[in-house]
Amino acid sequence: MPTSLLKGLNPEQLAAVTLPHESALILAGAGSGKTRVLTTRIAHLIQSGQASPNGIFAVTFTNKAAKEMLTRLGALLPINTRGMWIGTFHGLANRMLRAHHREAGLPALFQILDSADQLGAIKRLLKALNVDDEKYPPKQLQHFINGCKEEGLRAHLVEAFDPYTRKQQELYAAYDEQCQREGVVDFAELLLRCYELLLRETALRQHYQSRFRHILVDEFQDTNHLQYQWLKLLAGEQAAVFAVGDDDQSIYAFRGARVGNMADFERDFHVEKVIRLEQNYRSHGNILDAANALIRHNQSRLGKNLWTAEGSGEPIRVFEAHSDYEEASFIVDEVKALQREGVPLSGIALLYRSNAQSRVLEHALFNAAVPYRVYGGLRFFERQEIKHALAYLRLIGNSNDDGALLRVINFPTRGIGARSLESLQEIARSEGVSLWQAAQLRRLSGKAGATISAFTALIESMREVCAALPLPEQVEHMLELSGLVTHYKNEKEGADRLENLNELINAAAGFEIEYSQEESEGASNVLAAFLTHASLEAGDNQAIAGQEALQLMTVHAAKGLEFHAVFLSGLEEGLFPHENAARERDGVEEERRLMYVAITRARRRLYISFADSRMLHGQLRYGIASRFLEELPAQLLKRINRTGSEQAMQQPTAGAASASTSDSGWQIGQAVSHPKFGPGIIINSEGRGADARVQVSFSHAGVKWLALEYAKLEAG
């Protein structure tokens, strides 16, 4: 076979791409070319005749990653990638459910609730059942329901050991009934419903197991319990599963990700080949050596060691600030210096562990006139005016969608008040029908009946007008007929919202060009497919056009990105690692993986900073250097003092913020314990002999001065 496909692969990449038909685990370190390996593996399977394009099932976590795989695959082989089963977990589950909606117990045009829509549905449920939403907060119930679904548990399978959980269990069951009645599904339901479909329908399961003999999984370390069970079910006994992941970058336990799935995979699939992709094509050697040294402190890992042929590069710069304001000032000065060196602002990232840290940083950047952008801001499909427009489109496609109806029945205002809606909802509850069906019963008289009838007539007329139109014209007519355009034209600050609505028309036009309808699978019309696309894309960050800008983000948001220079701020105990980590099983190890992710975002230059004090949550907080800083080899670091000069950094004493020592022998930065106030950190000292005293920042009792003669302090 031609060798051009395999040209340029390093030995480990080549071994992974050319594996025989067997399940394998590919440990792909940061910057090791995992996307290239995945796409080349698919191309190799097709080119060598081991698989046809429709016999491959490849799953990843973001639409962006899936699109990149398809684009690269199209560049490698002269094949039509449209229709290939390459997508996200939610996207592929949705596709399977669309193809087999009857067997799954769903209407053909079922709609997907994004997080905000789901929350709205839960609020409606609580109101309908007269449940106290202070005792059972909607967001908390949403988290409970999604958590159960991600564990593969329906309401009747949830173990309830107390009255509160039993009530949540009842509300979960009622929520499922409401969604079924309205013909809608939430994100977690997509995968659970698909899993149940395959588990229940033997012939269907065998069909897909026979079809997909090659299953490839990206970011395997981020899979949750249900996702792993779904993959196992789909693979059966014959499929070769090519799992690519990095246990050192598993940082989403709070979303349900189970790093243990990688060890389970080795056992369950009898994996004989674990290939480690350790050559890094992103960062210089000092950065990688620091990351390797840090992550070795984690006990439960599969193990690998990143290296590069690019040389050692510059040392990692470390700055200790008196305060968070001084830290921010330092970062601004260094950003400007990088600009003078010719580094674009878009190539510089400022990372922090907690969003609460960003205020001081943003203030300093604003005052210095440094353009910046907070990565992960409000997304296109989550903007108010877009959600209104999509709700109208959802009603055109499925008039029984109660959530969509309630969002727009009185927007723009058309005189339908809360009392009228309550009456309509009561009719719907008593008859066990949707709000739309309740409106068709014509039981409301007077103004309420007339205005609601006018609204349903408006939707019907939209449906008739749009039926024969191309998708972008459907959107355009809906915007005019609904009154949204007129409403925002008359709004004081409606210009930006109108621009967004116009962009929705553009999005529809672009989608229609890319859309190709499958004969036996996929959405049954382009409008339903577009609405699905909008729901699935709502989780992806939208690019913002405009000027060059410094990128601000949490470390979690930075995963998968890379920058010429990275500033990692707030490296203090209690902040990074976060103070909550110590209370959780394996919490510190996950925090260390998060630090590993932060370090490996940098290509050429890495700055690490911490402050002796900072304002957080309205309080002045004293801190010491993070243990993670201590875990980095001293020879890789250079301390930058407050005059801007650099010096080799000595490895700090464990638990110490500085080398300053009081006459009593206590060291500033030392961990101590007090019989009354508990654990704390010494932050200052003064006096001699009987007058000696120390200032201690206690974890639970605040900052206190203590006379050493009576303090009864012990080393912590």
Side-chain angles (χ1 to χ4, degrees):
M1 61 174 289
T3 60
S4 58
L5 192 66
L6 310 178
K7 187 177 180 180
L9 297 175
N10 66 39
E12 291 74 26
Q13 291 173 334
L14 181 63
V17 167
T18 58
L19 276 170
H21 186 82
E22 62 183 69
S23 293
L25 178 61
I26 314 301
L27 278 182
S32 63
K34 71 176 178 65
T35 304
R36 182 184 184 189
V37 167
L38 272 165
T39 51
T40 308
R41 170 69 173 171
I42 296 172
H44 171 71
L45 290 171
I46 295 172
Q47 190 180 66
S48 62
Q50 297 179 62
S52 64
N54 65 2
I56 287 172
F57 188 92
V59 60
T60 186
F61 275 84
T62 67
N63 290 304
K64 180 182 177 182
K67 288 175 183 176
E68 183 178 357
M69 287 176 64
L70 286 167
T71 300
R72 291 197 189 191
L73 190 58
L76 289 173
L77 290 179
I79 61 170
N80 183 1
T81 60
R82 303 179 74 83
M84 289 187 68
W85 285 71
I86 297 178
T88 64
F89 278 97
H90 292 118
L92 294 173
N94 166 71
R95 181 172 174 180
M96 201 171 287
L97 290 175
R98 296 283 177 191
H100 308 287
H101 63 89
R102 291 187 184 85
E103 295 92 331
L106 291 169
L109 301 182
F110 69 83
Q111 292 301 319
I112 302 171
L113 303 177
D114 64 18
S115 182
D117 292 330
Q118 183 190 28
L119 186 62
I122 289 171
K123 289 177 179 177
R124 285 191 286 111
L125 176 75
L126 295 178
K127 186 174 182 180
L129 298 177
N130 294 316
V131 174
D132 184 352
D133 60 6
E134 291 188 4
K135 186 176 181 181
Y136 297 93
K139 284 192 175 181
Q140 185 175 315
L141 182 58
Q142 181 183 37
H143 181 75
F144 173 81
I145 291 171
N146 290 340
C148 291
K149 289 187 177 185
E150 287 168 2
E151 289 296 317
L153 300 175
R154 287 294 181 194
H156 69 279
L157 298 175
V158 176
E159 293 186 4
F161 299 106
D162 57 80
Y164 190 86
T165 308
R166 280 195 290 276
K167 185 62 176 179
Q168 286 185 310
Q169 183 185 29
E170 293 173 12
L171 293 172
Y172 174 15
Y175 167 79
D176 265 357
E177 292 172 4
Q178 174 179 289
C179 288
Q180 185 67 28
R181 184 171 62 249
E182 296 178 8
V184 297
V185 298
D186 54 52
F187 269 79
E189 179 72 16
L190 282 172
L191 202 63
L192 180 55
R193 184 73 68 107
C194 190
Y195 173 75
E196 292 171 337
L197 172 68
L198 293 175
L199 193 64
R200 182 177 63 250
E201 301 290 336
T202 303
L204 194 62
R205 180 176 70 251
Q206 291 175 345
H207 162 74
Y208 282 112
Q209 287 176 343
S210 174
R211 176 176 178 176
F212 299 128
R213 297 187 67 250
H214 292 274
I215 297 175
L216 300 93
V217 189
D218 189 16
E219 304 285 8
F220 192 81
Q221 77 281 350
D222 293 336
T223 53
N224 62 30
H225 175 77
L226 179 59
Q227 288 163 343
Y228 181 56
Q229 294 303 315
W230 184 61
L231 289 169
K232 281 179 63 178
L233 189 62
L234 190 62
E237 298 294 327
Q238 304 300 320
V241 179
F242 189 83
V244 181
D246 183 1
D247 58 328
D248 291 334
Q249 295 189 75
S250 180
I251 60 173
Y252 295 124
F254 66 96
R255 294 183 188 170
R258 291 185 69 250
V259 66
N261 282 349
M262 299 186 82
D264 291 348
F265 172 72
E266 284 191 80
R267 182 188 65 251
D268 295 343
F269 286 83
H270 312 292
V271 172
E272 297 181 2
K273 294 281 179 66
V274 176
I275 297 177
R276 288 169 168 80
L277 304 182
E278 298 174 306
Q279 183 173 359
N280 178 283
Y281 296 93
R282 174 188 301 161
S283 306
H284 275 160
N286 283 339
I287 293 170
L288 299 179
D289 290 345
N292 290 330
L294 173 87
I295 204 65
R296 286 192 198 104
H297 287 80
N298 275 5
Q299 300 300 311
S300 53
R301 58 188 294 261
L302 298 173
K304 65 184 180 312
N305 195 64
L306 298 179
W307 63 277
T308 182
E310 294 295 313
S312 297
E314 303 176 19
I316 297 168
R317 293 160 169 83
V318 178
F319 179 70
E320 177 184 1
H322 285 307
S323 68
D324 47 354
Y325 287 95
E326 186 181 43
E327 180 188 40
S329 177
F330 161 76
I331 291 171
V332 168
D333 289 343
E334 290 297 314
V335 166
K336 288 183 174 180
L338 286 167
Q339 280 187 285
R340 290 193 293 271
E341 292 176 20
V343 180
L345 283 176
S346 58
I348 307 172
L350 171 49
L351 310 183
Y352 35 82
R353 173 64 181 86
S354 169
N355 276 312
Q357 295 169 245
S358 72
R359 185 188 64 82
V360 172
L361 298 169
E362 292 187 56
H363 184 70
L365 292 167
F366 178 80
N367 287 342
V370 175
Y372 70 91
R373 182 173 301 126
V374 179
Y375 186 87
L378 196 61
R379 301 159 185 132
F380 179 78
F381 286 112
E382 293 178 341
R383 292 169 185 164
Q384 180 203 77
E385 61 276 14
I386 299 301
K387 291 185 75 67
H388 286 326
L390 292 176
Y392 276 108
L393 292 174
R394 283 165 54 185
L395 279 177
I396 291 172
N398 173 16
S399 54
N400 293 320
D401 188 336
D402 284 1
L405 185 145
L406 287 172
R407 171 175 276 274
V408 297
I409 192 170
N410 198 43
F411 190 92
T413 303
R414 48 179 62 91
I416 301 175
R419 187 170 298 177
S420 299
L421 282 177
E422 288 174 3
S423 299
L424 184 64
Q425 288 172 310
E426 182 56 39
I427 294 170
R429 282 194 295 271
S430 64
E431 297 296 329
V433 296
S434 70
L435 293 176
W436 180 274
Q437 291 168 328
Q440 305 304 307
L441 297 175
R442 301 288 195 272
R443 292 188 184 173
L444 293 177
S445 58
K447 181 182 177 182
T451 52
I452 289 174
S453 294
F455 173 75
T456 58
L458 171 66
I459 299 300
E460 291 286 6
S461 67
M462 284 187 193
R463 187 177 290 124
E464 292 174 6
V465 170
C466 293
L469 294 175
L471 180 62
E473 291 184 32
Q474 290 185 47
V475 176
E476 188 172 8
H477 276 72
M478 175 276 299
L479 292 175
E480 291 292 342
L481 293 173
S482 66
L484 287 175
V485 170
T486 301
H487 172 81
Y488 288 119
K489 278 182 178 178
N490 295 327
E491 195 178 65
K492 184 178 179 181
E493 298 178 356
D496 290 342
R497 298 190 187 278
L498 285 171
E499 287 182 6
N500 288 333
L501 291 176
N502 286 329
E503 186 59 31
L504 183 65
I505 300 173
N506 296 337
F511 178 83
E512 187 171 57
I513 292 172
E514 296 179 359
Y515 174 76
S516 65
Q517 187 172 341
E518 301 285 332
E519 290 185 5
S520 62
E521 56 199 18
S524 61
N525 64 45
V526 68
L527 176 58
F530 179 64
L531 290 169
T532 294
H533 162 79
S535 296
L536 295 174
E537 285 280 333
D540 276 3
N541 294 302
Q542 304 296 319
I544 304 173
Q547 65 186 134
E548 278 281 314
L550 177 71
Q551 306 296 303
L552 271 66
M553 67 193 78
T554 64
V555 182
H556 279 103
K559 187 173 180 291
L561 305 177
E562 59 181 77
F563 303 91
H564 177 93
V566 168
F567 291 84
L568 180 54
S569 63
L571 255 290
E572 298 135 39
E573 281 295 308
L575 197 56
F576 200 1
H578 196 275
E579 57 192 357
N580 292 339
R583 305 176 196 145
E584 301 171 4
R585 183 185 176 189
D586 301 326
V588 173
E589 290 215 348
E590 173 134 347
E591 290 286 297
R592 190 175 282 111
R593 292 194 292 268
L594 192 59
M595 176 71 173
Y596 177 86
V597 167
I599 292 173
T600 54
R601 299 311 93 198
R603 293 198 296 264
R604 294 296 178 263
R605 190 174 293 184
L606 175 63
Y607 297 82
I608 298 176
S609 59
F610 62 99
D612 298 336
S613 66
R614 73 172 61 245
M615 289 294 296
L616 277 178
H617 310 299
Q619 294 183 331
L620 184 63
R621 173 172 173 167
Y622 294 92
I624 61 171
S626 167
R627 72 189 74 180
F628 296 156
L629 187 56
E630 298 169 9
E631 292 170 0
L632 304 181
Q635 67 270 21
L636 302 178
L637 313 178
K638 268 198 173 181
R639 184 185 293 276
I640 304 177
N641 63 32
R642 291 179 175 85
T643 63
S645 61
E646 299 180 2
Q647 60 188 35
M649 183 169 175
Q650 301 298 315
Q651 193 73 13
T653 304
S658 74
S660 176
T661 305
S662 71
D663 291 338
S664 64
W666 292 105
Q667 190 175 59
I668 295 175
Q670 186 173 356
V672 294
S673 179
H674 187 274
K676 178 180 180 181
F677 303 129
I681 299 293
I682 295 176
I683 60 175
N684 203 354
S685 66
E686 67 180 25
R688 296 171 179 269
D691 295 327
R693 63 178 190 154
V694 292
Q695 189 181 33
V696 183
S697 176
F698 290 103
S699 300
H700 306 295
V703 178
K704 297 184 182 296
W705 278 102
L706 301 175
L708 282 173
E709 187 175 357
Y710 308 106
K712 297 181 181 180
L713 286 177
E714 294 181 0

